[in-house]
Short mmCIF file of all heavy atoms in Angstrom, two decimals:
data_model
loop_
_atom_site.label_atom_id
_atom_site.label_comp_id
_atom_site.label_asym_id
_atom_site.label_seq_id
_atom_site.Cartn_x
_atom_site.Cartn_y
_atom_site.Cartn_z
N SER C 354 12.24 -73.24 -35.40
CA SER C 354 13.52 -72.53 -35.44
C SER C 354 13.30 -71.00 -35.24
O SER C 354 14.28 -70.31 -34.96
CB SER C 354 14.19 -72.79 -36.84
OG SER C 354 14.42 -74.13 -37.06
N ASP C 355 12.15 -70.58 -35.44
CA ASP C 355 11.81 -69.20 -35.58
C ASP C 355 11.72 -68.39 -34.35
O ASP C 355 10.98 -68.69 -33.37
CB ASP C 355 10.48 -69.05 -36.35
CG ASP C 355 10.04 -67.60 -36.51
OD1 ASP C 355 10.96 -66.71 -36.53
OD2 ASP C 355 8.86 -67.37 -36.71
N MET C 434 20.95 -66.01 -31.19
CA MET C 434 20.48 -66.66 -32.39
C MET C 434 21.47 -66.67 -33.43
O MET C 434 21.35 -67.43 -34.48
CB MET C 434 19.22 -65.79 -32.88
CG MET C 434 18.01 -65.89 -32.06
SD MET C 434 17.50 -67.63 -31.72
CE MET C 434 17.05 -68.17 -33.30
N LYS C 435 22.61 -65.86 -33.38
CA LYS C 435 23.64 -65.98 -34.40
C LYS C 435 24.18 -67.38 -34.65
O LYS C 435 24.52 -68.07 -33.70
CB LYS C 435 24.74 -65.07 -34.00
CG LYS C 435 25.94 -65.09 -35.03
CD LYS C 435 27.33 -64.99 -34.41
CE LYS C 435 28.36 -65.38 -35.40
NZ LYS C 435 29.71 -65.55 -34.79
N GLY C 436 24.18 -67.78 -35.87
CA GLY C 436 24.88 -68.99 -36.27
C GLY C 436 24.32 -70.29 -35.69
O GLY C 436 25.04 -71.30 -35.66
N LEU C 437 23.06 -70.30 -35.24
CA LEU C 437 22.49 -71.56 -34.80
C LEU C 437 22.07 -72.45 -35.92
O LEU C 437 21.39 -72.02 -36.91
CB LEU C 437 21.29 -71.34 -33.98
CG LEU C 437 21.53 -70.68 -32.62
CD1 LEU C 437 20.18 -70.66 -31.75
CD2 LEU C 437 22.59 -71.31 -31.75
N PRO C 438 22.57 -73.67 -35.98
CA PRO C 438 22.11 -74.58 -36.99
C PRO C 438 20.58 -74.81 -36.85
O PRO C 438 20.08 -74.71 -35.73
CB PRO C 438 22.93 -75.84 -36.75
CG PRO C 438 23.39 -75.75 -35.32
CD PRO C 438 23.45 -74.40 -34.99
N LEU C 439 19.96 -75.24 -37.96
CA LEU C 439 18.58 -75.52 -37.85
C LEU C 439 18.47 -76.92 -37.11
O LEU C 439 19.45 -77.73 -37.17
CB LEU C 439 17.94 -75.76 -39.27
CG LEU C 439 17.81 -74.48 -40.12
CD1 LEU C 439 16.87 -74.83 -41.26
CD2 LEU C 439 17.44 -73.35 -39.30
N THR C 440 17.41 -77.21 -36.43
CA THR C 440 16.25 -76.52 -36.26
C THR C 440 16.25 -75.90 -34.83
O THR C 440 16.70 -74.85 -34.57
CB THR C 440 14.97 -77.34 -36.45
OG1 THR C 440 15.10 -78.53 -35.67
CG2 THR C 440 14.95 -77.86 -37.91
N ASN C 442 17.53 -75.54 -31.03
CA ASN C 442 18.77 -75.76 -30.21
C ASN C 442 18.41 -75.16 -28.87
O ASN C 442 17.65 -74.31 -28.69
CB ASN C 442 19.92 -75.04 -30.78
CG ASN C 442 20.33 -75.36 -32.20
OD1 ASN C 442 20.98 -76.38 -32.38
ND2 ASN C 442 19.68 -74.73 -33.18
N MET C 445 18.13 -71.52 -27.55
CA MET C 445 16.99 -70.72 -27.75
C MET C 445 16.05 -70.59 -26.45
O MET C 445 15.25 -69.71 -26.38
CB MET C 445 16.12 -71.25 -28.91
CG MET C 445 16.79 -71.08 -30.21
SD MET C 445 16.36 -72.36 -31.46
CE MET C 445 14.81 -71.71 -32.00
N PHE D 384 14.39 -72.31 -45.01
CA PHE D 384 15.10 -71.11 -45.31
C PHE D 384 14.27 -70.22 -46.26
O PHE D 384 14.30 -69.00 -46.07
CB PHE D 384 16.45 -71.47 -46.03
CG PHE D 384 17.51 -71.98 -45.08
CD1 PHE D 384 17.94 -73.28 -45.25
CD2 PHE D 384 17.93 -71.32 -43.92
CE1 PHE D 384 18.83 -73.88 -44.28
CE2 PHE D 384 18.87 -71.84 -43.07
CZ PHE D 384 19.26 -73.11 -43.26
N MET D 387 11.99 -68.24 -44.11
CA MET D 387 12.68 -67.14 -43.45
C MET D 387 12.93 -65.97 -44.36
O MET D 387 12.52 -64.84 -43.99
CB MET D 387 14.07 -67.58 -42.94
CG MET D 387 14.07 -68.60 -41.83
SD MET D 387 15.72 -69.21 -41.48
CE MET D 387 15.34 -70.81 -40.68
N GLN D 467 20.37 -61.01 -41.59
CA GLN D 467 21.69 -61.47 -41.31
C GLN D 467 21.71 -62.73 -40.42
O GLN D 467 22.47 -63.63 -40.56
CB GLN D 467 22.52 -60.34 -40.70
CG GLN D 467 23.98 -60.63 -40.49
CD GLN D 467 24.71 -61.05 -41.74
OE1 GLN D 467 24.47 -60.50 -42.84
NE2 GLN D 467 25.59 -62.04 -41.63
N MET D 468 20.84 -62.68 -39.37
CA MET D 468 20.66 -63.84 -38.44
C MET D 468 20.28 -65.07 -39.33
O MET D 468 20.95 -66.12 -39.09
CB MET D 468 19.69 -63.48 -37.41
CG MET D 468 19.50 -64.53 -36.37
SD MET D 468 18.25 -65.75 -36.76
CE MET D 468 16.73 -64.75 -36.36
N HIS D 469 19.34 -64.83 -40.20
CA HIS D 469 18.99 -66.05 -41.00
C HIS D 469 20.19 -66.55 -41.84
O HIS D 469 20.48 -67.75 -41.98
CB HIS D 469 17.87 -65.73 -41.97
CG HIS D 469 16.60 -65.47 -41.19
ND1 HIS D 469 15.56 -64.63 -41.66
CD2 HIS D 469 16.11 -65.97 -39.98
CE1 HIS D 469 14.57 -64.63 -40.72
NE2 HIS D 469 14.93 -65.38 -39.78
N LEU D 470 20.92 -65.61 -42.47
CA LEU D 470 22.07 -65.91 -43.31
C LEU D 470 23.11 -66.65 -42.45
O LEU D 470 23.73 -67.64 -42.95
CB LEU D 470 22.67 -64.59 -43.80
CG LEU D 470 21.92 -63.95 -44.98
CD1 LEU D 470 22.55 -62.59 -45.28
CD2 LEU D 470 21.84 -64.82 -46.21
N SER D 471 23.32 -66.23 -41.25
CA SER D 471 24.30 -66.86 -40.39
C SER D 471 23.94 -68.31 -40.02
O SER D 471 24.81 -69.17 -39.92
CB SER D 471 24.53 -66.07 -39.07
OG SER D 471 23.49 -66.30 -38.13
N ARG D 472 22.64 -68.55 -39.96
CA ARG D 472 22.18 -69.95 -39.68
C ARG D 472 22.36 -70.80 -40.86
O ARG D 472 22.82 -71.97 -40.83
CB ARG D 472 20.80 -69.90 -39.25
CG ARG D 472 20.55 -69.17 -37.96
CD ARG D 472 19.14 -69.26 -37.31
NE ARG D 472 18.94 -70.54 -36.81
CZ ARG D 472 17.89 -70.96 -36.14
NH1 ARG D 472 16.87 -70.07 -35.94
NH2 ARG D 472 17.74 -72.18 -35.66
N LEU D 473 22.05 -70.23 -42.06
CA LEU D 473 22.29 -71.03 -43.35
C LEU D 473 23.83 -71.35 -43.45
O LEU D 473 24.23 -72.47 -43.75
CB LEU D 473 21.71 -70.21 -44.51
CG LEU D 473 21.94 -70.82 -45.85
CD1 LEU D 473 20.77 -70.41 -46.77
CD2 LEU D 473 23.26 -70.29 -46.51
N ALA D 474 24.60 -70.32 -43.18
CA ALA D 474 26.06 -70.43 -43.31
C ALA D 474 26.48 -71.55 -42.27
O ALA D 474 27.32 -72.48 -42.79
CB ALA D 474 26.81 -69.17 -42.94
N GLU D 475 26.04 -71.55 -41.09
CA GLU D 475 26.48 -72.53 -40.13
C GLU D 475 26.14 -73.93 -40.60
O GLU D 475 26.93 -74.82 -40.56
CB GLU D 475 25.77 -72.29 -38.80
CG GLU D 475 26.15 -73.18 -37.62
CD GLU D 475 27.55 -72.98 -37.06
OE1 GLU D 475 28.16 -71.92 -37.41
OE2 GLU D 475 28.03 -73.94 -36.29
N ASP D 476 24.92 -74.19 -41.09
CA ASP D 476 24.52 -75.41 -41.60
C ASP D 476 25.31 -75.87 -42.74
O ASP D 476 25.79 -77.03 -42.77
CB ASP D 476 23.01 -75.33 -41.98
CG ASP D 476 22.04 -75.90 -41.03
OD1 ASP D 476 22.51 -76.04 -39.80
OD2 ASP D 476 20.95 -76.19 -41.32
N PHE D 477 25.60 -75.00 -43.68
CA PHE D 477 26.37 -75.45 -44.89
C PHE D 477 27.79 -75.72 -44.55
O PHE D 477 28.42 -76.47 -45.24
CB PHE D 477 26.22 -74.27 -45.97
CG PHE D 477 24.78 -74.30 -46.62
CD1 PHE D 477 23.67 -75.01 -46.08
CD2 PHE D 477 24.59 -73.57 -47.78
CE1 PHE D 477 22.40 -75.01 -46.67
CE2 PHE D 477 23.31 -73.62 -48.37
CZ PHE D 477 22.30 -74.29 -47.81
#
Side-chain angles (χ1 to χ4, degrees):
Chain C
S354 304
D355 177 24
M434 292 305 293
K435 178 214 164 193
L437 290 189
L439 294 198
T440 52
N442 300 276
M445 289 153 79
Chain D
F384 289 116
M387 289 174 202
Q467 181 62 36
M468 183 269 282
H469 292 152
L470 289 172
S471 78
R472 298 187 74 174
L473 179 145
E475 180 77 11
D476 260 16
F477 287 12

